[in-house]
Amino acid sequence: MKYDTQSIKQLSKRKRAQFINSLSGFKSANLIGTCNQQKKSNLAIFSSVVHLGSAPPLLALISRPHSVERHTLQNIIETGYFTINHVNETIYKQAHQTSARYSKDQSEFNQVGLTTMWEADFPAPFVKESIIRLGMSFREKIHIAINQTEMIIGEINFVYVPDNIIDKDGYVHLEKANSVTISSLDSYHSTKLLSHLSYAKPDKKIETVLRK
Amino acid sequence: MKYDTQSIKQLSKRKRAQFINSLSGFKSANLIGTCNQQKKSNLAIFSSVVHLGSAPPLLALISRPHSVERHTLQNIIETGYFTINHVNETIYKQAHQTSARYSKDQSEFNQVGLTTMWEADFPAPFVKESIIRLGMSFREKIHIAINQTEMIIGEINFVYVPDNIIDKDGYVHLEKANSVTISSLDSYHSTKLLSHLSYAKPDKKIETVLRK
């Protein structure tokens, strides 16, 4: 089936959202933990977290300012901090439930049954049930005028990863943390490793690399 | 294991790259097809394609200007068009090989053994072996000063998806296209559906949705 600009435009709003959201491929599944200055916590699922660079260690996410994600955006700007918590197989239904439009008085942590965890002096709440947890400081907001979205750039200040899933070369076995991946708006998948591949060079055949 | 800003900084360059690249979660796996004005084709794997919005239908990707991806960036700016081709289980090793530093005279299509496909009047080459293929027009380049990367925003002008993997609600079954997902810099995974979930509402329990 072929679609062009016209036939995409003619899809109903919901159908177009499902369709277009499918097309970028598999997405990361993360819970963004924030609080306001009164330490009232907020939790929201995002499928748009991307790697931006490793020195300095930066990740970015895309926020639609008129959606439920706006509490997250407000809190990040207000406090300067947020957490990124990997969604795993055990909590993916609760993670999805954070996308409901709860009022500002309700914390999604309580509403969906996930546990806030405060780590030393870090000013934003982590998700205790997540196996990989990152503490982020807000670095920059870039307004994307073309569709009124915001890109939030954060620097990784804190990482918790269990010892036994970090390989000696720095690779983190996401599969051993049961991290999941998202397709489109509402679908969750576990993964199965095909292979780790060697660094590509023009005159060399790709090989499979063994990790523990 | 806990890491902070200092202990991250102390990792060797390679180890830090593997480690930090692991932390955003699973990534999309796409081949970006471009050509220059002489129709010389170029192909590069990207794990940073993200959904930006569905009306208009926009995707974005992050490019490091000083890496092999620079040919892609130059071609997109020069011609105004590019393609996004999902990496699947059959071609993931060839896809990874496109990250080798080939010279500007060599087309990665030939070097790795993938087939260029020209679709009607579309000015950039598709990958014939990809099951999901998008034709994109370049809309905007946003310079990310904090680490000298570029965000490329493209609008979806053309989509090819096989009929039998599009659900009636617009959802595209990426698993049926054997699309893969990437972790860190070099690891490829197939996926297994956990569930499609219902739209989340504050007063309603999440349910599993059946799709064909």
Side-chain angles (χ1 to χ4, degrees):
Chain A
M1 184 82 178
K2 292 178 186 181
Y3 293 84
D4 62 12
T5 302
Q6 271 313 311
S7 52
I8 292 170
K9 205 176 271 181
Q10 283 159 10
L11 297 172
S12 71
K13 194 183 164 192
R14 276 206 180 180
K15 190 167 179 176
R16 187 176 55 212
Q18 277 286 2
F19 182 63
I20 300 299
N21 267 280
S22 302
L23 297 178
S24 58
F26 287 104
K27 304 171 185 184
S28 55
N30 287 294
L31 284 162
I32 307 299
T34 57
C35 60
N36 64 14
Q37 287 183 325
Q38 289 73 47
K39 294 276 176 197
K40 181 141 190 30
S41 64
N42 184 280
L43 192 65
I45 189 163
F46 277 72
S47 63
S48 61
V49 174
V50 285
H51 174 86
L52 209 61
S54 52
L58 299 173
L59 304 180
L61 55 89
I62 309 293
S63 175
R64 296 166 295 157
H66 302 301
S67 75
V68 290
E69 299 162 5
R70 71 189 180 284
H71 299 157
T72 298
L73 190 59
Q74 283 167 6
N75 286 346
I76 291 175
I77 294 167
E78 193 173 312
T79 66
Y81 291 92
F82 59 108
T83 68
I84 296 182
N85 308 271
H86 280 216
V87 177
N88 59 51
E89 285 188 51
T90 311
I91 61 168
Y92 77 95
K93 289 185 183 179
Q94 290 153 291
H96 187 69
Q97 181 64 35
T98 64
S99 62
R101 290 180 178 271
Y102 292 108
S103 76
K104 210 160 181 173
D105 303 330
Q106 298 170 306
S107 167
E108 292 80 6
F109 279 99
N110 300 330
Q111 296 296 323
V112 309
L114 291 171
T115 315
T116 51
M117 183 178 177
W118 298 92
E119 183 76 52
D121 294 330
F122 199 79
F126 294 86
V127 177
K128 193 179 174 191
E129 291 82 357
S130 283
I131 296 167
I132 297 174
R133 305 187 289 269
L134 317 178
M136 309 288 300
S137 57
F138 172 51
R139 292 298 302 270
E140 200 174 334
K141 176 167 78 71
I142 296 179
H143 181 66
I144 302 174
I146 194 170
N147 71 345
Q148 303 297 313
T149 50
E150 308 285 346
M151 182 162 74
I152 301 291
I153 300 175
E155 179 167 346
I156 303 173
N157 289 163
F158 172 89
V159 178
Y160 175 78
V161 177
D163 278 349
N164 61 343
I165 69 168
I166 308 179
D167 217 286
K168 61 183 184 302
D169 70 354
Y171 178 84
V172 180
H173 290 266
L174 302 184
E175 247 172 59
K176 295 186 184 170
N178 292 319
S179 294
V180 301
T181 178
I182 294 177
S183 62
S184 196
L185 294 169
D186 56 18
S187 299
Y188 294 79
H189 309 253
S190 60
T191 65
K192 188 172 174 304
L193 181 70
L194 294 165
S195 3
H196 306 293
L197 298 181
S198 56
Y199 188 81
K201 294 183 176 178
D203 51 353
K204 198 167 150 271
K205 202 172 179 301
I206 285 288
E207 286 169 2
T208 293
V209 172
L210 290 179
R211 289 195 175 99
K212 67 169 179 200
Chain B
M1 184 80 179
K2 294 178 185 181
Y3 293 84
D4 63 12
T5 302
Q6 271 314 312
S7 52
I8 292 171
K9 206 176 271 180
Q10 282 159 11
L11 297 173
S12 71
K13 195 183 164 196
R14 276 206 180 181
K15 190 166 178 177
R16 187 176 56 210
Q18 277 287 3
F19 182 63
I20 300 297
N21 267 279
S22 302
L23 298 178
S24 59
F26 287 104
K27 305 172 185 183
S28 55
N30 287 294
L31 284 162
I32 307 299
T34 57
C35 59
N36 64 12
Q37 287 182 324
Q38 288 74 47
K39 294 278 178 198
K40 182 140 190 30
S41 62
N42 184 280
L43 193 64
I45 191 163
F46 277 73
S47 62
S48 61
V49 174
V50 285
H51 174 86
L52 209 62
S54 52
L58 300 174
L59 304 179
L61 56 87
I62 308 294
S63 176
R64 294 165 296 157
H66 302 301
S67 75
V68 290
E69 298 162 5
R70 72 190 181 282
H71 298 157
T72 298
L73 190 60
Q74 283 168 5
N75 286 345
I76 291 174
I77 293 166
E78 192 173 312
T79 67
Y81 292 92
F82 60 108
T83 68
I84 296 181
N85 307 270
H86 281 215
V87 176
N88 59 52
E89 284 188 51
T90 310
I91 61 168
Y92 77 94
K93 289 184 184 179
Q94 290 153 291
H96 186 69
Q97 183 64 36
T98 64
S99 62
R101 292 181 177 270
Y102 293 108
S103 77
K104 211 161 179 170
D105 303 329
Q106 297 171 306
S107 168
E108 290 81 5
F109 279 100
N110 301 330
Q111 296 298 323
V112 309
L114 292 170
T115 315
T116 52
M117 183 179 179
W118 298 92
E119 184 75 53
D121 294 332
F122 198 80
F126 294 87
V127 177
K128 193 179 173 189
E129 290 82 357
S130 283
I131 296 167
I132 297 175
R133 304 186 289 269
L134 317 178
M136 309 290 298
S137 56
F138 172 51
R139 292 297 303 271
E140 200 174 332
K141 177 167 77 73
I142 296 178
H143 181 65
I144 302 174
I146 194 171
N147 70 345
Q148 303 296 312
T149 51
E150 308 285 345
M151 181 163 72
I152 302 290
I153 300 176
E155 179 167 347
I156 303 174
N157 289 163
F158 172 89
V159 179
Y160 175 78
V161 178
D163 278 352
N164 60 344
I165 68 168
I166 309 179
D167 217 283
K168 58 183 187 302
D169 70 353
Y171 178 84
V172 180
H173 291 265
L174 301 185
E175 244 171 63
K176 294 185 184 169
N178 292 319
S179 294
V180 300
T181 179
I182 293 176
S183 63
S184 195
L185 293 170
D186 56 18
S187 299
Y188 294 80
H189 309 253
S190 61
T191 65
K192 188 170 175 304
L193 181 70
L194 293 166
S195 4
H196 306 294
L197 297 182
S198 56
Y199 189 83
K201 292 181 177 178
D203 51 354
K204 201 169 147 268
K205 200 170 180 301
I206 285 288
E207 286 169 359
T208 293
V209 172
L210 289 179
R211 290 195 174 98
K212 69 173 179 197

